[in-house]
Amino acid sequence: MSNVRHVLGISGGKDSAALAIYLKQNYPTLDIDYYTTDTGKELDETYQLIENLEVFLGKKITLLKAAEGSHVDSFDHFLKMYGGYLPSSNSRWCTKKLKLEPFEKYVGNDLVVSYVGIRGDEDREGYISKKSNIQSIFPFRKNIFSEDVITKFINNNNQEKLIALTGIVDLGRRRDKVVDILAKPIALNFNQQSKMDQLFNQGIKETNRLIFEFLKSTDYPLAKEEDFPLLDNEEVLVRDDIFRILEESGVGVPAYYKKVDFEVENKKGQYARSRSGCYFCFFQQKIEWVWLYEQHPELFQKALDYEKAGYNWNQEETLLELVQSERIKQIKEDYIKRQERNQSNIKSPFLLDILDDSEAEGCAACFI
């Protein structure tokens, strides 16, 4: 029996929730441990999503807290440690202290396969642990392996080894073509991505199995597994699939993704929140701060109170300046103009235009 642990972090966002549902439905034999890291500053809808998931999964989601034993929420505990210095895009101590460190403490030195909900329509890698005992897998993508694995696999020094592996993996009539691709060295006019694209074009399952066979010669956690069911997965899931999975499963989409109507200067628009995570997240767009101010005034006031120590959530302006009536009007008008430009692309009941602009920004550990 393998000693490898399989874990999935539930951020409270749509993608990690949909991934948990997807793996439960399609790979029920995988014994996955689910966890969530609680900052104490999440929206109520995030906690509701976690409760709904526990019902669907039939399994408890382990709650991790960064400052166990503290008399205040984890965020407030570390904010005091940092002398009131608010986190920002240039200093993301919140992600490090509240998300990543509790996760690495949770898994310890165990061999771990960590499932990450980055989709097939996203061009980003997300958080990859520097610890050698943790390996990330991306089930929604064509390439389920992380960039560090691919870089080792496709290294020019491995050409002979990889060609030898084609005798182990059943490639059928594609073997000669695969061998030709493997034999062609990476160069300025043939980079790593081009080589991998050519291999995956010859077969996703076949390429995954070649990589898996290569991993057996490494110290990655999957080297300890005799097989891995996701090797044969050829599905590529995109954003619309995520919302569909959440709705069809009965778990539902967190309410903060739903559009809310507003009007300014006789023009109508719609806003919502584009991400999970803390209600005062500095990655929010201006229109999302306005949404928080108008839809959750009590939470906005708490976010505003944090600025009294002399640090701001936004570099350009304070929250107090942002919610002056003329400034709100300007933010809404500017946002409506963007909505109008993107109107032809909106096909969902959720705020996809905001997601288009901003969901790739931020910390994957918080928002996926």
Side-chain angles (χ1 to χ4, degrees):
M1 184 176 177
S2 170
N3 292 320
V4 177
R5 287 175 62 188
H6 295 255
V7 304
L8 198 167
I10 306 298
S11 69
K14 64 190 187 308
D15 296 320
S16 62
L19 180 57
I21 296 165
Y22 179 81
L23 293 177
K24 172 72 173 178
Q25 291 175 328
N26 294 279
Y27 301 96
T29 59
L30 282 175
D31 185 15
I32 299 176
D33 294 333
Y34 304 94
Y35 70 92
T36 186
T37 48
D38 184 18
T39 65
K41 306 300 179 182
E42 313 285 342
L43 291 165
D44 289 341
E45 293 91 333
T46 297
Y47 300 113
Q48 184 61 57
L49 176 69
I50 291 170
E51 290 181 16
N52 294 349
L53 269 176
E54 286 183 328
V55 173
F56 178 87
L57 298 170
K59 200 169 188 178
K60 191 71 177 173
I61 297 173
T62 301
L63 182 68
L64 307 181
K65 290 193 175 183
E68 289 183 286
S70 177
H71 67 283
V72 296
D73 290 335
S74 297
F75 178 85
D76 294 324
H77 175 88
F78 285 101
L79 181 65
K80 184 176 181 180
M81 266 186 51
Y82 281 89
Y85 181 76
L86 293 174
S88 68
S89 58
N90 296 323
S91 179
R92 304 181 190 182
W93 62 256
C94 51
T95 302
K96 180 177 184 291
K97 289 296 184 181
L98 305 183
K99 298 287 184 176
L100 304 186
E101 288 185 0
F103 165 64
E104 294 188 345
K105 180 181 178 182
Y106 170 63
V107 301
N109 294 318
D110 293 345
L111 295 176
V112 166
V113 173
S114 176
Y115 296 90
V116 183
I118 291 179
R119 306 184 309 269
D121 58 349
E122 294 183 284
D123 184 18
R124 57 173 172 155
E125 186 78 350
Y127 162 69
I128 302 297
S129 175
K130 302 302 182 184
K131 297 185 68 175
S132 60
N133 61 307
I134 301 173
Q135 179 176 3
S136 297
I137 293 292
F138 305 85
F140 289 154
R141 306 189 319 191
K142 176 171 62 175
N143 173 20
I144 65 173
F145 296 101
S146 55
E147 187 175 350
D148 58 312
V149 169
I150 297 300
T151 299
K152 289 184 174 66
F153 168 75
I154 212 68
N155 188 289
N156 285 341
N157 294 328
N158 291 329
Q159 285 177 298
E160 291 186 8
K161 179 189 291 188
L162 298 183
I163 290 172
L165 291 179
T166 63
I168 298 175
V169 177
D170 183 11
L171 300 173
R173 291 177 295 177
R174 303 173 183 175
R175 183 178 184 276
D176 289 345
K177 181 62 176 175
V178 170
V179 169
D180 288 343
I181 297 170
L182 292 173
K184 187 176 180 180
I186 293 174
L188 288 176
N189 61 348
F190 187 59
N191 61 22
Q192 175 175 302
Q193 187 61 54
S194 298
K195 190 165 185 173
M196 289 309 303
D197 286 343
Q198 288 191 16
L199 286 172
F200 279 116
N201 287 340
Q202 293 302 311
I204 296 175
K205 291 188 296 185
E206 291 78 7
T207 301
N208 282 340
R209 291 204 165 271
L210 273 175
I211 297 170
F212 182 68
E213 290 299 325
F214 167 77
L215 284 174
K216 292 180 180 179
S217 66
T218 71
D219 294 327
Y220 281 97
L222 278 180
K224 307 299 182 184
E225 297 280 50
E226 293 183 7
D227 200 7
F228 186 52
L230 269 76
L231 298 176
D232 293 331
N233 182 21
E234 295 186 301
E235 283 194 289
V236 177
L237 277 72
V238 298
R239 188 173 51 212
D240 286 347
D241 297 315
I242 302 308
F243 287 111
R244 174 182 53 78
I245 288 170
L246 291 170
E247 293 284 23
E248 291 180 355
S249 67
V251 170
V253 178
Y256 51 72
Y257 286 124
K258 300 291 181 70
K259 296 178 182 180
V260 177
D261 294 331
F262 68 83
E263 186 172 339
V264 59
E265 294 295 307
N266 297 319
K267 286 190 174 183
K268 295 182 179 180
Q270 294 176 314
Y271 59 12
R273 186 174 166 89
S274 68
R275 61 183 80 246
S276 58
C278 298
Y279 60 82
F280 46 56
C281 178
F282 49 83
F283 278 113
Q284 291 181 107
Q285 294 185 1
K286 305 290 187 184
I287 191 67
E288 294 179 87
W289 280 111
V290 173
W291 173 88
L292 184 70
Y293 174 69
E294 296 181 342
Q295 302 301 318
H296 294 279
E298 74 290 351
L299 295 181
F300 185 90
Q301 181 59 49
K302 290 181 180 179
L304 181 62
D305 290 341
Y306 281 111
E307 292 193 331
K308 291 181 179 178
Y311 299 104
N312 302 331
W313 295 111
N314 300 297
Q315 293 182 349
E316 300 87 0
E317 58 190 331
T318 68
L319 292 186
L320 189 59
E321 292 169 338
L322 187 146
V323 295
Q324 297 303 306
S325 58
E326 285 301 312
R327 182 67 178 120
I328 289 179
K329 176 184 172 185
Q330 179 187 355
I331 291 171
K332 287 183 174 180
E333 288 177 340
D334 290 344
Y335 183 67
I336 287 175
K337 290 177 183 177
R338 287 170 50 202
Q339 283 190 310
E340 290 172 345
R341 287 197 300 267
N342 296 334
Q343 194 65 40
S344 60
N345 297 323
I346 300 174
K347 301 177 182 178
S348 168
F350 308 102
L351 203 54
L352 300 188
D353 52 332
I354 282 185
L355 296 173
D356 281 336
D357 290 339
S358 69
E359 71 174 335
E361 301 172 357
C363 305
C366 292
F367 307 139
I368 290 177

